[in-house]
Amino acid sequence: MDNRGKILYLECNSGISGDMTVGALLDLGADRERLERALESLHVDGYHLHFGRTKKCGIDAFDFDVHLEGGEHEHDHEHIHEHAHDHGHDHTHEHEHAHDHGHEHAHPHVHRNLRDICEIIDRMEEGDEVKALARRMFEIVAEAESKAHGLPMEEVHFHEVGAVDSIVDIVSTAVLLADLGVGKIIVSPLAEGRGYVRCQHGVMPVPVPATANIAAAHGLELHFTDNEGEMVTPTGAAIAAAVDCGEKLPAHYTIEKIGIGAGNKDFQQANILRAMILAPREEERDTLWKLETNVDDCTGEALGYTLEKLMAAGALDAYYTAIQMKKNRPAYELSVVCREREREALEEIIFLHTTTIGIRRYALERTVLDRRPVTVETPWGPAEVKICGRNGREFVYPEYESVRRLCENSSLSFQEAYDAVRQAAEGNNA
């Protein structure tokens, strides 16, 4: 499916969960057969996949669900032991796919750590890009659970998100996103409920600690509703954090296709995740800020440290220019390019670590190429690449750190490693 140059917009007005995401992507036309092949290659059984239709406040939606065999259904959108299907709607399940032959047998209460889950993902008969995205989603959850429970990441056991249904949800999301092949993904602010939910560890406030930690660590925008209960699950938050490009919707676009995934609960509004493939109507311009300040009484060590902090905090670019100030003082002009959401934090870094007493700022516009990250295999190991495009043309740019790593692990020169990575990416993209 060729959607390069287009945008996938996830409208999370009723929150987001794994099953809602998978349902919405399937409703958009992502390949169900490819999904089933990928899940089969994980060699995990003990579940059925349900594909069907249901209605939410009268809106037709795709109903995707994972039912565990021989135990409770522990779907994370209801949060452990609280899963219940909606009542009062017709659920037409057109297919049930059983996994019950020659595979690893799983029980709902099996505890897995991140390494166990990555081993399962690595079995999948899909490309490195799909595996990397699935692993990244689980790493995001592991980091959040680690902070919530005060444990090292390697000691976190996924009694909730590591359940079979959530492994299926995350892997399915990665596979279906790759099948859609969009240029970028934009995620709306996430609607969240209120009150408490019952979890493995007891009754917890909404948002649950893992979800709150993911939102805090990745800058997800939440807005709270009057709905009782959880609307954003840890799996849903991890999906949003892993795939959102951080940009706003274009000012003008056309909607090419709509997919709607159903949630399991009933709220006063339709409990759906709406996914839309959008085509920008005109050349997309990205609005940014440029921050500037002149410094003539700050040490070189402090200036260098400030630059490191700015880039780590999300600056798109940061640099110094030598200038001459009043009273013939040699000085530096610090320039920082950033998005609005990082602006205040970056200004705080500048005030904290330099001697400046004022910062100028200007709104900027830029024209950017469509881009997508890809992992390619070379004889010397994996490497990360950016593939950028415009008007039907594509450009391949190997990432510096990957090229550097290949050089250190081989006798290749920098240019030889760079060319090898680029040729591998061009071969995969042919």
Side-chain angles (χ1 to χ4, degrees):
M1 195 176 297
D2 187 4
N3 288 312
R4 289 175 290 183
K6 297 174 185 175
I7 298 168
L8 173 63
Y9 179 56
L10 299 180
E11 184 187 71
C12 305
N13 291 342
S14 288
I16 183 171
S17 67
D19 60 330
M20 295 169 77
T21 305
V22 176
L25 299 179
L26 287 168
D27 207 31
L28 274 177
D31 191 343
R32 185 169 120 186
E33 291 184 2
R34 176 177 176 178
L35 167 63
E36 292 181 319
R37 288 195 301 271
L39 293 176
E40 185 75 15
S41 68
L42 296 177
H43 301 297
V44 173
D45 67 359
Y47 67 93
H48 289 86
L49 297 182
H50 289 238
F51 303 86
R53 312 296 303 185
T54 188
K55 292 189 185 296
K56 291 292 182 178
C57 294
I59 297 175
D60 181 64
F62 198 109
D63 184 26
F64 173 82
D65 217 342
V66 182
H67 281 200
L68 303 181
E69 298 170 355
E72 291 185 73
H73 187 164
E74 300 188 21
H75 206 288
D76 64 356
H77 197 48
E78 293 287 344
H79 226 72
I80 299 306
H81 303 315
E82 290 294 301
H83 180 84
H85 283 295
D86 295 301
H87 298 288
H89 292 309
D90 287 331
H91 286 257
T92 306
H93 292 291
E94 61 188 52
H95 178 70
E96 294 189 8
H97 189 90
H99 295 255
D100 55 5
H101 44 278
H103 293 185
E104 171 191 313
H105 288 270
H107 189 277
H109 300 289
V110 169
H111 290 196
R112 294 184 172 93
N113 60 26
L114 183 61
R115 180 178 178 181
D116 296 328
I117 291 172
C118 287
E119 288 177 354
I120 292 172
I121 291 171
D122 286 341
R123 301 173 192 161
M124 180 168 43
E125 294 176 3
E126 278 283 347
D128 294 329
E129 186 177 357
V130 175
K131 296 177 184 177
L133 178 57
R135 286 193 296 265
R136 178 59 185 147
M137 293 177 194
F138 269 109
E139 287 168 0
I140 289 171
V141 179
E143 291 166 358
E145 294 282 5
S146 170
K147 184 173 182 179
H149 299 297
L151 294 171
M153 278 182 58
E154 59 271 17
E155 294 182 20
V156 172
H157 284 79
F158 294 88
H159 51 275
E160 294 174 8
V161 179
V164 172
D165 53 345
S166 293
I167 293 174
V168 172
D169 284 346
I170 284 179
V171 168
S172 298
T173 297
V175 171
L176 297 177
L177 286 175
D179 190 68
L180 288 174
V182 292
K184 66 179 69 169
I185 302 170
I186 298 176
V187 180
S188 78
L190 312 181
E192 179 59 295
R194 59 179 182 146
Y196 296 86
V197 291
R198 188 178 303 278
C199 304
Q200 183 89 5
H201 297 284
V203 177
M204 293 190 179
V206 174
V208 297
T211 298
N213 289 339
I214 293 171
H218 298 274
L220 298 180
E221 183 179 347
L222 300 176
H223 69 90
F224 292 94
T225 70
D226 292 332
N227 292 321
E228 288 287 341
E230 180 183 43
M231 298 174 69
V232 180
T233 70
T235 300
I239 291 170
V243 305
D244 183 27
C245 71
E247 299 179 17
K248 294 183 178 180
L249 285 174
H252 305 281
Y253 57 83
T254 56
I255 301 174
E256 294 200 346
K257 197 162 187 181
I258 299 172
I260 296 177
N264 285 305
K265 293 181 179 178
D266 281 329
F267 299 123
Q268 59 185 348
Q269 84 285 349
N271 186 19
I272 59 173
L273 175 68
R274 186 160 63 168
M276 293 178 276
I277 293 181
L278 311 178
R281 287 293 302 272
E282 56 188 29
E283 186 175 76
E284 176 63 5
R285 295 188 180 274
D286 192 8
T287 302
L288 306 171
W289 288 98
K290 185 175 183 181
L291 313 179
E292 290 181 352
T293 188
N294 298 346
V295 183
D296 66 356
D297 57 349
C298 196
T299 68
E301 291 89 345
L303 293 175
Y305 181 72
T306 302
L307 208 64
E308 291 177 10
K309 296 292 287 184
L310 290 168
M311 294 304 294
L316 298 176
D317 201 1
Y319 55 91
Y320 293 107
T321 305
I323 59 173
Q324 196 81 11
M325 289 179 60
K326 60 186 179 182
K327 300 182 181 179
N328 297 317
R329 293 175 183 170
Y332 292 96
E333 179 182 74
L334 169 60
S335 300
V336 181
V337 178
C338 66
R339 296 188 176 91
E340 170 61 28
R341 68 182 185 183
E342 283 95 19
R343 180 181 61 78
E344 289 189 11
L346 297 179
E347 289 178 341
E348 182 65 22
I349 289 172
I350 296 170
F351 282 126
L352 180 63
H353 296 295
T354 75
T355 55
T356 191
I357 59 174
I359 300 171
R360 305 180 295 275
R361 64 173 179 262
Y362 316 93
L364 299 177
E365 286 190 343
R366 66 173 182 172
T367 302
V368 296
L369 300 180
D370 295 324
R371 66 193 75 179
R372 66 183 191 277
V374 174
T375 302
V376 299
E377 289 293 335
T378 75
W380 306 276
E384 305 297 324
V385 178
K386 281 198 300 283
I387 297 182
C388 305
R390 179 178 171 85
N391 297 329
R393 298 180 62 189
E394 288 198 333
F395 311 91
V396 176
Y397 300 111
E399 295 285 5
Y400 166 77
E401 289 296 339
S402 290
V403 176
R404 177 176 176 273
R405 186 171 60 252
L406 293 190
C407 289
E408 292 181 346
N409 294 338
S410 69
S411 60
L412 297 174
S413 68
F414 186 90
Q415 192 60 50
E416 288 172 334
Y418 187 95
D419 290 341
V421 174
R422 185 175 61 185
Q423 289 170 11
E426 290 173 345
N428 285 355
N429 204 44

